[in-house]
Amino acid sequence: MDYWITLEQTQYLPETVLLERQRRRLRDLLRHAWENNAFYRSRFESAGVTPGMLDTDGCIAKIPILTKADIRSHTADMISRGFDRGELLNFKTGGSTGKSLDIYVTEECSELRNSCARRHDLWTGWKSGEPIAAVWGNPYLPHGVRQKLRDWLVSPMIYLDTMCISEEAVVRFADEWKRVRPTLLFGHAHSIYVLAQYVRDLNLSGIRPTGILSTSMMLMPHERRTIESVFGIKVTDRYGCEEVSLIASECERHEGMHLNIEHLYIEFVRDDGSPAASGEPGAIVVTDLMNRAMPFIRYRVEDVGVPTDRKCSCGRGLPLMESVTGRVADFLVKSDGSRVAGVSLIENTLTKIPGIDQMQLVQDAIDSLVVRVVPGAEFNDATRRELHDYFRELFGGQTKIEVSAVEAILPEASGKYRFSICRIS
C-alpha cells in the first residue's frame, strides 16, 4: 500500500527524472547479477563485458539477448546466490507462443508488481475496492466463509468463464452484473470483444462499466470499435506478461501506451540487433529491474512493438509506445455453438500437464480438432492420453481429437505465433 501511494506520485515526475532513476536501477541490477548470479556472469564474460563497463550506458546492448529456450534450459541456474528456490513464489506461464516457463520471484517483488498494476487499474476510471467483472478462463472462486467474506470486502468479483461462452452464460453474467454492479470490466482482449458481440446481438441492458481493461492478447482495431460502441466508453488496453508483469498501458487519454520504466528497461530491437527508430516496429526486449532472485536481463518477449517519441497530453513522465503486435489467439467452437478461448485452453493444459514444450490447436471443422504438440522430456503415452481425454470431454464425444507430435511450431510470415487457430466461418 505504501509503495502504491508512492507510485501515484512518481508517475507525474519529469521523464528525465524517471529515466535517471531507471538508469540507476539498471546499473544496480547488472552489478548484482555480476556478483551473485553465475549464469549471468558467464554470459557477461562471454560477451566481453567487464565490471568496469557495468556503469556505462552502452553496456546493456553488449549483453546477449535472453530467450525462452535459455530460461527453460537454465531455470535452476538463473536463481541468484542467497535465494532458495523452494522459498520463492513460483509462477508457470504458457506464454504468448504456447511454451511453458517457470518464473521465480520473492514475495516482496510480487507485491511491488501488484502495487504498480493497481496504479494502472485506476487509469480506467475504476476506484479501489469497487466490484470487478472479469472475462477470464479458470476463474478463481473463493472457498469457505472466510475467503468469500474477505474477497467480497476487499474487491468483489464476478466472472464470465471463457472456457464456455454461450448465450445462456452471457445472460447469467448480465443478471449477476445487475446484482453486484461492478464498475470495471476486465479480461482477455478478444474475450471482451466476444462478450460485446453477445450483448449487442441479445440486446442486453444493464452492463455499463465505468472502465474497461483489456489485456493478455493484442486488441484488434475492429474489436476496440465494437467494444466501445456496445458499452459506450473507451477501452484501456494493457500489455504485459507473467515473466516481468506490466510492460505498458494506456491512460485515460488513450494516446499510446505508457512504458513502465520504473520497473523495467525496455528496448525495441531490429533484426540486426540495432535499436528501432520511433515509429518503426522492433522486437520487444525487457530487463526486469525488480526481480533479483531470478533476473530477466534483455529478455526477448517474442512480441513486436512500435516505439514513439510522441508525448501524452496527460502530463505523466512515463514515455509512450505506439502499439503491440503479436498476440492473436482464436476462439474454438463447440458443437453446441458455444466458444472457448484458446488462451484459456493453453493455460489449462500446457501449464498443468508435464511433457509439453509447445502446443497449437487447429480446428478445421466443428467435429474435428488437431492438437499439435512439441514433446518435452517427460512426454509419453500418458501425456497423449491426458490431452486427448481433456479435449474430448470439453468438446464432446462426437468430436475427433488428434494429438500430433511435431518437431516445431513455426511462426507465421508476420512473425506471430498463433497457438489457437479456428478455420470455421
Side-chain angles (χ1 to χ4, degrees), residues 144-415:
V145 175
R146 180 174 296 180
Q147 282 190 12
K148 291 179 180 178
L149 180 61
R150 182 197 64 195
D151 283 22
W152 183 256
L153 292 174
V154 174
S155 187
M157 295 190 71
I158 64 172
Y159 291 94
L160 175 62
D161 191 350
T162 58
M163 293 301 296
C164 186
I165 298 182
S166 62
E167 289 188 7
E168 294 77 11
V170 171
V171 169
R172 287 195 302 271
F173 181 72
D175 289 340
E176 194 168 10
W177 185 293
K178 294 175 183 176
R179 180 178 62 83
V180 178
R181 300 175 68 84
T183 56
L184 178 64
L185 176 60
F186 165 83
H188 305 134
H190 190 66
S191 300
I192 297 175
Y193 166 68
V194 171
L195 170 64
Q197 288 180 307
Y198 273 110
V199 171
R200 178 196 61 202
D201 296 343
L202 296 173
N203 197 27
L204 296 174
S205 62
I207 299 182
R208 282 288 178 259
T210 300
I212 301 176
L213 179 57
S214 70
T215 186
S216 187
M217 61 184 71
M218 186 173 64
L219 178 65
M220 307 295 285
H222 73 280
E223 295 176 338
R224 183 191 287 270
R225 288 193 297 270
T226 297
I227 294 169
E228 293 179 350
S229 173
V230 169
F231 297 114
I233 59 172
K234 294 283 190 181
V235 177
T236 300
D237 195 22
R238 178 181 295 178
Y239 172 58
C241 63
E242 190 78 59
E243 297 92 304
V244 299
S245 194
L246 190 148
I247 298 174
S249 177
E250 288 183 331
C251 71
E252 67 278 0
R253 298 295 177 90
H254 306 280
E255 296 173 0
M257 305 183 83
H258 289 279
L259 296 171
N260 183 17
I261 63 171
E262 292 177 276
H263 282 196
L264 307 172
Y265 182 83
I266 305 164
E267 303 171 76
F268 300 88
V269 181
R270 298 188 183 114
D271 290 341
D272 63 2
S274 61
S278 176
E280 178 188 8
I284 298 175
V285 175
V286 179
T287 298
D288 188 344
L289 306 176
M290 313 305 285
N291 185 2
R292 299 200 171 193
M294 182 182 182
F296 279 66
I297 300 176
R298 300 206 80 203
Y299 169 54
R300 182 165 186 158
V301 184
E302 297 188 0
D303 289 333
V304 175
V306 181
T308 182
D309 292 332
R310 291 190 305 103
K311 305 301 178 186
C312 184
S313 64
C314 70
R316 293 179 175 88
L318 301 167
L320 295 176
M321 66 182 292
E322 294 286 1
S323 60
V324 181
T325 61
R327 293 186 178 185
V328 180
D330 289 341
F331 272 63
L332 304 181
V333 185
K334 296 183 183 180
S335 58
D336 62 0
S338 63
R339 289 179 277 185
V340 186
V343 65
S344 297
L345 294 174
I346 293 296
E347 290 169 352
N348 266 1
T349 52
L350 181 70
T351 62
K352 297 179 180 179
I353 300 176
I356 306 171
D357 275 352
Q358 193 175 5
M359 187 167 65
Q360 183 183 62
L361 309 175
V362 182
Q363 187 178 32
D364 289 317
I366 194 71
D367 59 353
S368 176
L369 178 67
V370 177
V371 183
R372 304 177 69 222
V373 175
V374 177
E378 299 177 53
F379 186 85
N380 52 36
D381 289 339
T383 308
R384 188 187 297 271
R385 285 194 302 271
E386 190 171 357
L387 279 172
H388 180 277
D389 293 343
Y390 172 84
F391 287 106
R392 187 69 175 272
E393 180 178 356
L394 184 66
F395 284 87
Q398 72 283 0
T399 303
K400 178 184 177 182
I401 307 296
E402 177 185 349
V403 180
S404 174
V406 297
E407 291 186 1
I409 295 173
L410 302 177
E412 298 181 310
S414 64

Side-chain angles (χ1 to χ4, degrees), residues 38-51:
F39 171 79
Y40 279 107
R41 181 159 183 167
S42 175
R43 289 169 72 85
F44 291 178
E45 291 176 336
S46 67
V49 175
T50 64

Side-chain angles (χ1 to χ4, degrees), residues 37 39-40 66-80 83 85 88-92 100-105 293-296:
N37 195 291
F39 171 79
Y40 279 107
L66 181 72
T67 67
K68 295 181 187 295
D70 293 332
I71 298 168
R72 291 198 305 275
S73 300
H74 301 283
T75 301
D77 300 331
M78 290 178 64
I79 306 299
S80 298
F83 294 92
R85 185 162 58 152
L88 297 172
L89 300 180
N90 173 225
F91 301 98
K92 183 181 281 286
S100 59
L101 295 175
D102 279 298
I103 303 101
Y104 292 90
V105 301
M294 182 182 182
F296 279 66

